Amino acid sequence: MAVLTGLCLALSGLSAHAQETVKELAAKASDELRLLTSLQVLERMTSQVNHFLVYSIEAERGGWRVMEKEIGNDYAIRSNADKAAGEVATAYNSVTKSKVATEDELKGAEAAFENVNVLIALAPQIADLILAKDFDAAAALYKETGQSAYDGANRGAQSATTTVQKRLGKTLLSIRVAK
C-alpha cells in the first residue's frame, strides 16, 4: 500500500513529505479557479470589444446593424466598450490580488489589460468615424492600432489562462490522490 501511495504521489508531482491536506488543496484549487475565471473574463471582453469594432465598420459599409435592435452601430460600439471597461477592471483587479498567480501569469494579465484598454479607448474614435461615414478611416485606424492591441491582449490572456488551467488540473488530481 505504501508503494502504491508513493507511486501516486510521484505521478501527481507531490513528494511524500510535501503533501498538503485535502482542505489546503481545495482552498488552492478555489483560488486557481477564481484566477482562471478572471483571466477568461479578460479574454472574453477582448474578443467582444474587438467584435463590435470590426463588425460595426463592416456593417455600416453594408448598410446593416450589428445588433438586432434599431440602434446605430456607433452606439453598439460605445455601449459595449463602456460595459467591457468595468468588467475588465474588475477582472484585472482580481488577478492582481490573487495569491496563486505566478509572475508570468501576472505579466500576461497585465499585457491583456493594457491592450484591451487600448481597444476600449479606440471605440469612441471609431464610433465617431462611423457617424461621419468615414468608413475607410475607421478601418485604417482599427488596422493601425486595434489589430495589434487585439493580438497582444489575446496572447497575454491565453498564455496566462493555459498555465493556470494546467496547474488547476494538477491540483485537482492531487485532491483526488489525497482522498
Side-chain angles (χ1 to χ4, degrees):
M1 183 67 170
V3 173
L4 183 59
T5 303
L7 179 61
C8 288
L9 289 173
L11 291 175
S12 71
L14 293 175
S15 64
H17 65 282
Q19 198 177 62
E20 296 175 276
T21 67
V22 173
K23 195 177 232 182
E24 291 169 336
L25 288 169
K28 183 178 176 182
S30 177
D31 290 342
E32 289 169 347
L33 186 58
R34 189 175 304 111
L35 175 60
L36 179 61
T37 301
S38 297
L39 290 168
Q40 288 172 332
V41 167
L42 288 174
E43 191 175 346
R44 188 180 74 245
M45 288 297 103
T46 298
S47 293
Q48 184 173 321
V49 171
N50 190 67
H51 167 83
F52 279 101
L53 291 176
V54 171
Y55 288 104
S56 292
I57 294 168
E58 293 306 312
E60 283 294 330
R61 281 186 174 160
W64 49 278
R65 302 273 181 238
V66 172
M67 299 179 82
E68 293 176 12
K69 301 175 185 171
E70 287 301 315
I71 59 173
N73 289 320
D74 60 300
Y75 176 78
I77 290 173
R78 291 177 204 275
S79 64
N80 279 288
D82 289 345
K83 179 184 174 209
E87 288 191 45
V88 164
T90 301
Y92 181 67
N93 198 19
S94 176
V95 170
T96 59
K97 290 180 180 180
S98 174
K99 299 172 191 171
V100 295
T102 66
E103 187 72 29
D104 286 342
E105 292 160 357
L106 289 172
K107 285 179 184 176
E110 185 176 349
F113 179 71
E114 289 173 1
N115 283 298
V116 74
N117 279 318
V118 168
L119 286 174
I120 290 168
L122 197 59
Q125 297 171 35
I126 289 180
D128 288 343
L129 290 169
I130 285 174
L131 276 176
K133 302 212 180 292
D134 194 353
F135 311 128
D136 291 337
L141 180 60
Y142 172 78
K143 185 176 182 180
E144 159 185 315
T145 308
Q147 185 63 50
S148 60
Y150 173 68
D151 292 342
N154 261 344
R155 266 192 311 276
Q158 289 175 353
S159 171
T161 298
T162 300
T163 60
V164 173
Q165 285 173 331
K166 288 177 182 176
R167 193 171 62 245
L168 178 59
K170 288 179 182 178
T171 302
L172 293 173
L173 179 62
S174 297
I175 290 171
R176 185 174 183 135
V177 169
K179 284 185 173 181

